[in-house]
Amino acid sequence: MADVRRGARGSRGVRAVGAALCAAALAVAAAGCSDDGDGPSSAASKAASAASSAASRGADVVASATAEAQQKFNDFKDGVDAKGDVKLGDVKSDGDRTTVPVTVDNGASDTKSYVVQVGFRNGDDKLVDTVVLNVNDVRGGDSKDATARSTHSLDGDITAEVSRALRH
């Protein structure tokens, strides 16, 4: 597993959840010193609501990427399972995105095209992003390299997996 760390750029997804949780913790701590008549339980409730909203936005990003991936697979007609033809390299940071090299080996005798879904998971093995890439015109008996690039900033220990792959 590669430890992928980011700078201050990007605030969607997992990063938003972390920021909201920090804000929630500060709000709870500050609530004990409040003079506005709201008690600590009211401030804690507001902070929990903010954290829940941020977590929901992070989940929405992954759900949107997953739905888009499904649509791309639906558009790919007459495909044959080719997950075993795809290998991933080491996960790396590339600016504010996470990337992983993808190699497709075409064991068939004629040229094939592939659609590959790569899932990015955090240290808790939670899916935090998914992308789909097309690897077109891989000659029979040959291989072709591509790169899967996350749709948003990912923090922490990030791993990648081939979720699905089809060839035609």
Side-chain angles (χ1 to χ4, degrees), residues 4-167:
V4 180
R5 304 266 181 223
R6 301 279 178 262
R9 292 171 48 177
S11 62
R12 293 177 26 191
V14 175
R15 182 159 255 200
V17 173
L21 291 176
C22 287
L26 289 172
V28 170
C33 303
S34 177
D35 290 317
D36 62 8
D38 286 341
S41 64
S42 174
S45 176
K46 289 176 187 175
S49 176
S52 175
S53 176
S56 176
R57 284 190 306 274
D60 288 346
V61 170
V62 174
S64 175
T66 302
E68 185 176 332
Q70 181 62 47
Q71 184 59 46
K72 288 183 181 181
F73 271 82
N74 290 345
D75 293 343
F76 199 84
K77 302 296 179 199
D78 301 322
V80 175
D81 180 30
K83 194 172 176 180
D85 296 350
V86 181
K87 303 290 184 246
L88 301 180
D90 293 332
V91 174
K92 296 189 187 310
S93 172
D94 181 16
D96 66 340
R97 299 291 191 253
T98 301
T99 62
V100 63
V102 177
T103 301
V104 175
D105 292 314
N106 180 6
S109 59
D110 52 342
T111 299
K112 300 289 183 183
S113 290
Y114 293 76
V115 62
V116 179
Q117 181 179 358
V118 175
F120 292 96
R121 294 188 174 274
N122 66 12
D124 295 330
D125 201 35
K126 180 178 177 186
L127 184 67
V128 291
D129 199 5
T130 188
V131 296
V132 175
L133 59 142
N134 292 312
V135 184
N136 296 317
D137 303 324
V138 183
R139 288 189 245 185
D142 206 355
S143 64
K144 194 169 191 179
D145 294 327
T147 300
R149 181 177 171 83
S150 68
T151 63
H152 58 279
S153 294
L154 305 175
D155 289 326
D157 268 343
I158 302 296
T159 59
E161 65 186 11
V162 178
S163 302
R164 294 188 289 176
L166 297 175
R167 78 167 172 259

